[in-house]
Amino acid sequence: MASSSSAYVNINSALPDTSDRMLFAVPKKGRLYDQCIGLLTSIGIEFNRKPRHDIALVTNMPIALVFLPAADIAAYVAKGNVDLGITGLDIIRESQTENDVAELIRLGFGKCRLQIQTPAGNQSVRSAQDLVGKRIVTSFINLTRQRFAELEGVDDPSKISTQVRFVSGSVEAACGLGLADGIVDLVESGDTMRAAGLHAIDTVMETESVLITNAHARFPHLAETIKQRVEGVLAARKYVLCQYNIERGMLEQASAIAPGRQAPTVTSLEPMGGAWVAVSVMIEKRCLAEKMDALKELGATDIIVLQIVNTRA
Protein backbone atom coordinates (compact mmCIF):
# COMPACT_ATOMS: atom_id res chain seq x y z
CA MET A 1 0.00 0.00 0.00
CA ALA A 2 1.80 3.06 -1.23
CA SER A 3 0.48 6.48 -2.07
CA SER A 4 0.35 7.92 -5.55
CA SER A 5 0.39 11.38 -7.09
CA SER A 6 -1.47 10.22 -10.22
CA ALA A 7 -4.41 12.41 -11.18
CA TYR A 8 -7.97 11.15 -10.92
CA VAL A 9 -9.36 10.00 -14.29
CA ASN A 10 -12.72 8.62 -15.36
CA ILE A 11 -12.28 4.97 -16.26
CA ASN A 12 -15.84 4.18 -17.32
CA SER A 13 -15.27 5.13 -20.95
CA ALA A 14 -12.54 2.50 -21.18
CA LEU A 15 -14.75 -0.33 -19.92
CA PRO A 16 -16.86 -2.78 -21.92
CA ASP A 17 -20.60 -2.57 -21.35
CA THR A 18 -20.97 -2.92 -17.59
CA SER A 19 -24.30 -1.18 -17.12
CA ASP A 20 -25.74 -4.33 -15.57
CA ARG A 21 -22.64 -5.23 -13.54
CA MET A 22 -21.22 -4.07 -10.23
CA LEU A 23 -17.69 -2.69 -10.64
CA PHE A 24 -15.29 -4.19 -8.09
CA ALA A 25 -11.79 -2.63 -7.95
CA VAL A 26 -8.86 -4.73 -6.72
CA PRO A 27 -5.12 -4.00 -6.68
CA LYS A 28 -3.56 -4.80 -10.04
CA LYS A 29 -0.13 -5.80 -8.71
CA GLY A 30 2.14 -5.63 -5.71
CA ARG A 31 2.10 -7.44 -2.40
CA LEU A 32 -1.69 -7.18 -2.01
CA TYR A 33 -2.51 -8.69 -5.42
CA ASP A 34 -1.98 -12.37 -4.60
CA GLN A 35 -3.89 -12.12 -1.32
CA CYS A 36 -6.80 -10.37 -3.04
CA ILE A 37 -6.94 -13.00 -5.79
CA GLY A 38 -6.93 -15.73 -3.15
CA LEU A 39 -9.79 -14.01 -1.34
CA LEU A 40 -11.83 -13.63 -4.54
CA THR A 41 -11.38 -17.34 -5.26
CA SER A 42 -12.39 -18.25 -1.71
CA ILE A 43 -15.66 -16.31 -1.95
CA GLY A 44 -16.64 -18.02 -5.18
CA ILE A 45 -15.91 -15.30 -7.72
CA GLU A 46 -14.96 -16.94 -11.02
CA PHE A 47 -13.19 -14.94 -13.72
CA ASN A 48 -10.48 -15.12 -16.35
CA ARG A 49 -8.16 -12.14 -16.57
CA LYS A 50 -6.49 -11.91 -19.97
CA PRO A 51 -2.83 -10.85 -20.12
CA ARG A 52 -2.38 -7.06 -20.10
CA HIS A 53 -6.12 -6.56 -19.48
CA ASP A 54 -7.22 -4.60 -16.43
CA ILE A 55 -10.87 -5.59 -16.68
CA ALA A 56 -12.27 -9.08 -16.16
CA LEU A 57 -15.93 -10.06 -16.32
CA VAL A 58 -17.01 -12.45 -13.58
CA THR A 59 -18.67 -15.48 -15.14
CA ASN A 60 -20.95 -16.52 -12.28
CA MET A 61 -22.07 -13.15 -10.86
CA PRO A 62 -23.05 -9.76 -12.37
CA ILE A 63 -19.67 -8.25 -11.46
CA ALA A 64 -16.80 -6.75 -13.44
CA LEU A 65 -13.40 -6.76 -11.75
CA VAL A 66 -11.31 -3.65 -12.42
CA PHE A 67 -7.60 -3.98 -11.65
CA LEU A 68 -6.18 -0.64 -10.49
CA PRO A 69 -3.21 0.64 -8.50
CA ALA A 70 -4.09 0.20 -4.82
CA ALA A 71 -3.29 3.88 -4.27
CA ASP A 72 -6.06 4.96 -6.67
CA ILE A 73 -8.88 2.67 -5.57
CA ALA A 74 -10.16 4.84 -2.71
CA ALA A 75 -10.58 7.79 -5.08
CA TYR A 76 -12.49 5.73 -7.64
CA VAL A 77 -14.83 4.35 -4.99
CA ALA A 78 -15.32 7.80 -3.42
CA LYS A 79 -16.20 9.34 -6.80
CA GLY A 80 -18.60 6.52 -7.64
CA ASN A 81 -16.70 5.26 -10.68
CA VAL A 82 -16.56 1.82 -9.06
CA ASP A 83 -18.99 0.37 -6.56
CA LEU A 84 -16.69 -1.72 -4.39
CA GLY A 85 -12.95 -1.86 -3.78
CA ILE A 86 -10.11 -3.32 -1.76
CA THR A 87 -7.39 -0.95 -0.59
CA GLY A 88 -5.55 0.10 2.56
CA LEU A 89 -6.70 2.24 5.46
CA ASP A 90 -3.58 4.34 4.87
CA ILE A 91 -4.64 5.04 1.29
CA ILE A 92 -8.11 6.12 2.39
CA ARG A 93 -6.69 8.60 4.88
CA GLU A 94 -3.91 9.80 2.58
CA SER A 95 -6.38 10.44 -0.25
CA GLN A 96 -8.69 12.15 2.27
CA THR A 97 -11.69 10.10 1.15
CA GLU A 98 -12.68 8.71 4.57
CA ASN A 99 -15.88 10.79 4.52
CA ASP A 100 -16.82 9.56 1.04
CA VAL A 101 -16.35 5.82 1.42
CA ALA A 102 -17.88 3.29 3.78
CA GLU A 103 -15.73 0.58 5.33
CA LEU A 104 -17.54 -2.76 5.01
CA ILE A 105 -15.01 -5.08 6.62
CA ARG A 106 -11.34 -5.22 7.52
CA LEU A 107 -9.65 -8.10 5.74
CA GLY A 108 -6.82 -9.00 8.10
CA PHE A 109 -4.02 -8.91 5.53
CA GLY A 110 -1.67 -6.19 4.34
CA LYS A 111 -1.10 -5.19 7.96
CA CYS A 112 1.73 -2.72 8.55
CA ARG A 113 2.56 0.56 10.27
CA LEU A 114 3.14 4.02 8.85
CA GLN A 115 6.14 5.19 10.84
CA ILE A 116 8.57 8.05 11.18
CA GLN A 117 12.07 6.65 10.78
CA THR A 118 15.47 8.30 11.33
CA PRO A 119 19.11 7.15 11.16
CA ALA A 120 19.76 4.86 14.11
CA GLY A 121 23.09 6.54 14.82
CA ASN A 122 21.68 10.06 15.11
CA GLN A 123 21.58 10.62 18.88
CA SER A 124 20.17 14.13 18.47
CA VAL A 125 16.83 12.73 17.28
CA ARG A 126 15.10 10.64 19.91
CA SER A 127 11.46 11.47 19.22
CA ALA A 128 9.30 12.84 16.42
CA GLN A 129 9.29 16.20 18.18
CA ASP A 130 13.02 16.48 17.47
CA LEU A 131 12.27 16.48 13.72
CA VAL A 132 10.01 19.54 13.82
CA GLY A 133 11.37 22.08 11.33
CA LYS A 134 13.62 19.45 9.71
CA ARG A 135 13.50 17.77 6.29
CA ILE A 136 11.11 14.81 5.85
CA VAL A 137 10.79 12.65 2.74
CA THR A 138 7.69 10.51 2.16
CA SER A 139 5.13 9.27 -0.32
CA PHE A 140 2.41 10.06 2.26
CA ILE A 141 2.37 13.86 2.04
CA ASN A 142 -1.01 14.48 3.67
CA LEU A 143 -0.63 12.08 6.59
CA THR A 144 2.88 13.34 7.25
CA ARG A 145 1.81 16.99 7.27
CA GLN A 146 -1.11 16.16 9.55
CA ARG A 147 1.20 14.39 12.01
CA PHE A 148 3.69 17.25 12.10
CA ALA A 149 0.87 19.77 12.44
CA GLU A 150 -0.07 17.91 15.63
CA LEU A 151 3.54 18.00 16.81
CA GLU A 152 3.83 21.72 16.05
CA GLY A 153 0.44 22.60 17.48
CA VAL A 154 -0.69 24.03 14.14
CA ASP A 155 -4.31 23.73 12.96
CA ASP A 156 -3.49 24.04 9.25
CA PRO A 157 -1.11 21.31 7.99
CA SER A 158 -0.08 23.56 5.10
CA LYS A 159 1.44 26.05 7.55
CA ILE A 160 3.91 23.72 9.31
CA SER A 161 7.58 24.64 9.50
CA THR A 162 8.69 21.06 8.82
CA GLN A 163 9.79 20.59 5.21
CA VAL A 164 7.88 17.65 3.75
CA ARG A 165 9.00 16.45 0.32
CA PHE A 166 7.30 13.83 -1.88
CA VAL A 167 9.12 10.87 -3.41
CA SER A 168 7.38 7.91 -5.01
CA GLY A 169 9.79 5.11 -4.15
CA SER A 170 12.95 4.00 -2.31
CA VAL A 171 12.05 6.38 0.51
CA GLU A 172 14.41 4.57 2.89
CA ALA A 173 17.42 5.77 0.87
CA ALA A 174 16.68 9.48 1.41
CA CYS A 175 18.53 9.86 4.71
CA GLY A 176 21.61 8.02 3.49
CA LEU A 177 21.74 10.25 0.43
CA GLY A 178 21.54 13.38 2.54
CA LEU A 179 18.12 14.35 1.23
CA ALA A 180 16.27 14.12 4.53
CA ASP A 181 16.63 14.08 8.29
CA GLY A 182 13.82 11.56 8.56
CA ILE A 183 11.32 9.65 6.48
CA VAL A 184 7.71 8.52 6.81
CA ASP A 185 6.94 5.17 5.20
CA LEU A 186 5.09 1.88 5.61
CA VAL A 187 6.87 -0.75 7.68
CA GLU A 188 5.90 -4.41 7.78
CA SER A 189 8.76 -6.43 9.24
CA GLY A 190 11.23 -3.55 9.54
CA ASP A 191 14.00 -5.46 7.73
CA THR A 192 14.28 -2.92 4.90
CA MET A 193 14.55 -0.02 7.34
CA ARG A 194 17.17 -1.75 9.48
CA ALA A 195 19.19 -2.55 6.35
CA ALA A 196 19.13 1.17 5.54
CA GLY A 197 20.34 2.02 9.05
CA LEU A 198 17.00 3.44 10.17
CA HIS A 199 14.82 2.94 13.24
CA ALA A 200 11.29 3.97 14.18
CA ILE A 201 10.67 6.89 16.53
CA ASP A 202 6.94 7.36 15.98
CA THR A 203 3.95 5.51 14.51
CA VAL A 204 1.58 7.68 12.51
CA MET A 205 -1.02 4.93 12.06
CA GLU A 206 -1.55 1.20 11.77
CA THR A 207 -3.12 -0.03 8.56
CA GLU A 208 -4.50 -3.10 6.83
CA SER A 209 -6.56 -3.94 3.76
CA VAL A 210 -10.25 -3.12 3.83
CA LEU A 211 -13.31 -3.69 1.67
CA ILE A 212 -14.98 -0.36 0.91
CA THR A 213 -18.01 0.98 -0.92
CA ASN A 214 -19.79 4.33 -1.22
CA ALA A 215 -23.22 5.69 -0.42
CA HIS A 216 -24.20 5.72 -4.09
CA ALA A 217 -23.21 2.15 -5.01
CA ARG A 218 -25.56 0.86 -7.71
CA PHE A 219 -25.86 -2.68 -6.33
CA PRO A 220 -26.15 -2.47 -2.52
CA HIS A 221 -27.66 -5.96 -2.21
CA LEU A 222 -24.82 -7.50 -4.21
CA ALA A 223 -22.26 -5.55 -2.17
CA GLU A 224 -23.84 -6.96 1.01
CA THR A 225 -23.61 -10.47 -0.45
CA ILE A 226 -19.88 -10.00 -1.11
CA LYS A 227 -19.42 -8.67 2.42
CA GLN A 228 -21.17 -11.70 3.92
CA ARG A 229 -19.08 -14.08 1.84
CA VAL A 230 -15.89 -12.35 2.94
CA GLU A 231 -16.99 -12.48 6.58
CA GLY A 232 -17.57 -16.21 6.17
CA VAL A 233 -14.14 -16.85 4.69
CA LEU A 234 -12.39 -14.77 7.37
CA ALA A 235 -14.27 -16.61 10.11
CA ALA A 236 -13.34 -19.96 8.55
CA ARG A 237 -9.68 -18.94 8.59
CA LYS A 238 -9.92 -17.93 12.24
CA TYR A 239 -11.94 -20.82 13.69
CA VAL A 240 -12.12 -24.62 13.68
CA LEU A 241 -15.08 -26.79 14.63
CA CYS A 242 -14.51 -28.83 17.78
CA GLN A 243 -16.78 -31.76 18.63
CA TYR A 244 -16.77 -33.75 21.86
CA ASN A 245 -18.94 -35.81 24.22
CA ILE A 246 -19.43 -34.92 27.87
CA GLU A 247 -21.69 -35.68 30.81
CA ARG A 248 -24.72 -33.42 30.83
CA GLY A 249 -23.89 -32.29 34.37
CA MET A 250 -20.58 -30.88 33.16
CA LEU A 251 -22.05 -29.06 30.15
CA GLU A 252 -22.20 -25.64 31.80
CA GLN A 253 -18.52 -25.78 32.77
CA ALA A 254 -17.57 -27.06 29.32
CA SER A 255 -19.51 -24.21 27.69
CA ALA A 256 -17.62 -21.73 29.86
CA ILE A 257 -14.35 -23.14 28.50
CA ALA A 258 -15.50 -23.08 24.86
CA PRO A 259 -18.55 -20.84 24.45
CA GLY A 260 -18.27 -20.59 20.65
CA ARG A 261 -19.13 -17.56 18.56
CA GLN A 262 -22.72 -17.55 19.84
CA ALA A 263 -23.37 -20.81 21.73
CA PRO A 264 -22.46 -24.50 21.41
CA THR A 265 -24.75 -26.90 19.55
CA VAL A 266 -25.82 -29.63 21.98
CA THR A 267 -27.35 -33.00 21.07
CA SER A 268 -28.49 -35.61 23.57
CA LEU A 269 -26.83 -39.03 23.29
CA GLU A 270 -29.97 -41.14 23.63
CA PRO A 271 -28.27 -44.58 23.79
CA MET A 272 -26.68 -43.34 27.02
CA GLY A 273 -30.02 -42.40 28.53
CA GLY A 274 -29.53 -38.68 27.99
CA ALA A 275 -26.88 -38.53 30.69
CA TRP A 276 -24.31 -37.54 28.08
CA VAL A 277 -24.43 -34.98 25.28
CA ALA A 278 -22.54 -34.37 22.04
CA VAL A 279 -21.29 -30.83 21.62
CA SER A 280 -20.19 -28.94 18.50
CA VAL A 281 -18.54 -25.57 18.99
CA MET A 282 -16.38 -23.14 17.03
CA ILE A 283 -13.03 -22.40 18.67
CA GLU A 284 -10.36 -19.90 17.63
CA LYS A 285 -7.32 -21.65 16.22
CA ARG A 286 -4.92 -19.61 18.32
CA CYS A 287 -6.26 -21.07 21.59
CA LEU A 288 -7.36 -24.50 20.38
CA ALA A 289 -4.74 -26.58 22.19
CA GLU A 290 -5.45 -24.99 25.56
CA LYS A 291 -9.22 -25.40 25.11
CA MET A 292 -8.83 -29.09 24.22
CA ASP A 293 -6.62 -29.66 27.28
CA ALA A 294 -9.19 -28.01 29.53
CA LEU A 295 -12.10 -29.98 28.04
CA LYS A 296 -10.21 -33.25 28.43
CA GLU A 297 -9.41 -32.45 32.05
CA LEU A 298 -13.10 -31.74 32.65
CA GLY A 299 -14.01 -35.19 31.38
CA ALA A 300 -14.80 -34.67 27.72
CA THR A 301 -14.23 -37.66 25.44
CA ASP A 302 -13.94 -38.31 21.71
CA ILE A 303 -12.66 -34.78 21.08
CA ILE A 304 -12.17 -34.15 17.38
CA VAL A 305 -11.34 -31.01 15.39
CA LEU A 306 -12.60 -30.25 11.89
CA GLN A 307 -11.41 -27.56 9.50
CA ILE A 308 -14.02 -25.02 8.39
CA VAL A 309 -13.93 -24.19 4.68
CA ASN A 310 -16.57 -21.48 4.82
CA THR A 311 -19.34 -20.25 7.08
CA ARG A 312 -22.11 -17.69 7.52
CA ALA A 313 -22.97 -15.98 10.78
Side-chain angles (χ1 to χ4, degrees), residues 39-60:
L39 179 63
L40 294 177
T41 301
S42 297
I43 64 175
I45 290 181
E46 300 175 3
F47 67 97
N48 179 30
R49 183 187 181 189
K50 298 179 181 179
R52 300 181 182 278
H53 284 227
D54 288 336
I55 302 163
L57 300 183
V58 175
T59 58
N60 61 337

Side-chain angles (χ1 to χ4, degrees), residues 11 14-16 24-29 33 37 47-58 64-69:
I11 62 172
L15 291 172
F24 188 171
V26 294
K28 66 185 298 183
K29 59 182 180 179
Y33 173 80
I37 295 302
F47 67 97
N48 179 30
R49 183 187 181 189
K50 298 179 181 179
R52 300 181 182 278
H53 284 227
D54 288 336
I55 302 163
L57 300 183
V58 175
L65 298 177
V66 185
F67 295 89
L68 298 169

Side-chain angles (χ1 to χ4, degrees), residues 19 47 65 68 87 181-182 228 245 270 281:
S19 58
F47 67 97
L65 298 177
L68 298 169
T87 189
D181 301 297
Q228 291 179 4
N245 299 332
E270 294 303 332
V281 62

Side-chain angles (χ1 to χ4, degrees), residues 7-295:
Y8 169 78
V9 295
N10 190 321
I11 62 172
N12 287 336
S13 61
L15 291 172
D17 182 15
T18 58
S19 58
D20 58 346
R21 290 177 179 266
M22 181 177 74
L23 302 184
F24 188 171
V26 294
K28 66 185 298 183
K29 59 182 180 179
R31 63 189 184 88
L32 295 184
Y33 173 80
D34 290 337
Q35 296 180 85
C36 288
I37 295 302
L39 179 63
L40 294 177
T41 301
S42 297
I43 64 175
I45 290 181
E46 300 175 3
F47 67 97
N48 179 30
R49 183 187 181 189
K50 298 179 181 179
R52 300 181 182 278
H53 284 227
D54 288 336
I55 302 163
L57 300 183
V58 175
T59 58
N60 61 337
M61 299 181 78
I63 296 173
L65 298 177
V66 185
F67 295 89
L68 298 169
D72 295 335
I73 290 175
Y76 285 126
V77 174
K79 293 289 186 178
N81 289 91
V82 295
D83 304 291
L84 208 62
I86 295 176
T87 189
L89 288 169
D90 55 301
I91 297 301
I92 296 170
R93 285 190 53 190
E94 174 64 20
S95 61
Q96 300 179 327
T97 55
E98 55 261 56
N99 293 328
D100 301 310
V101 301
E103 179 184 317
L104 294 181
I105 185 172
R106 299 193 178 191
L107 302 176
F109 60 79
K111 290 186 176 182
C112 48
R113 301 172 304 280
L114 183 64
Q115 293 185 322
I116 301 176
Q117 300 260 342
T118 59
N122 187 353
Q123 299 301 317
S124 65
V125 178
R126 298 181 179 275
S127 70
Q129 192 69 47
D130 295 328
L131 285 175
V132 167
K134 302 291 182 64
R135 301 169 302 161
I136 306 296
V137 161
T138 185
S139 54
F140 293 87
I141 290 289
N142 291 325
L143 285 169
T144 300
R145 286 176 175 159
Q146 289 169 14
R147 178 59 182 135
F148 277 92
E150 295 172 0
L151 293 170
E152 296 185 27
V154 176
D155 293 331
D156 186 350
S158 67
K159 299 187 182 304
I160 59 174
S161 63
T162 305
Q163 305 164 50
V164 180
R165 177 182 174 186
F166 176 85
V167 295
S168 59
S170 299
V171 178
E172 70 278 359
C175 292
L177 294 173
L179 300 176
D181 301 297
I183 67 166
V184 176
D185 203 13
L186 290 175
V187 178
E188 189 170 7
S189 67
D191 291 343
T192 300
M193 297 303 172
R194 283 190 290 270
L198 303 174
H199 72 138
I201 59 171
D202 188 64
T203 297
V204 177
M205 68 173 293
E206 294 186 353
T207 183
E208 66 178 287
S209 298
V210 291
L211 179 68
I212 59 173
T213 187
N214 63 67
H216 307 292
R218 296 174 299 156
F219 302 89
H221 179 72
L222 187 53
E224 181 62 23
T225 297
I226 295 300
K227 175 190 174 184
Q228 291 179 4
R229 289 191 180 190
V230 171
E231 287 175 335
V233 168
L234 296 183
R237 292 176 180 177
K238 184 178 181 180
Y239 290 89
V240 293
L241 182 66
C242 181
Q243 297 180 335
Y244 61 91
N245 299 332
I246 196 164
E247 290 185 72
R248 186 179 295 276
M250 306 301 292
L251 179 58
E252 184 175 350
Q253 294 180 59
S255 297
I257 294 171
R261 295 184 69 191
Q262 295 182 349
T265 299
V266 181
T267 305
S268 179
L269 294 176
E270 294 303 332
M272 304 183 72
W276 282 66
V277 293
V279 180
S280 296
V281 62
M282 292 174 67
I283 297 178
E284 286 192 53
K285 293 179 181 179
R286 63 180 178 83
C287 57
L288 174 63
E290 292 82 359
K291 299 289 187 182
M292 291 179 69
D293 292 341
L295 290 170

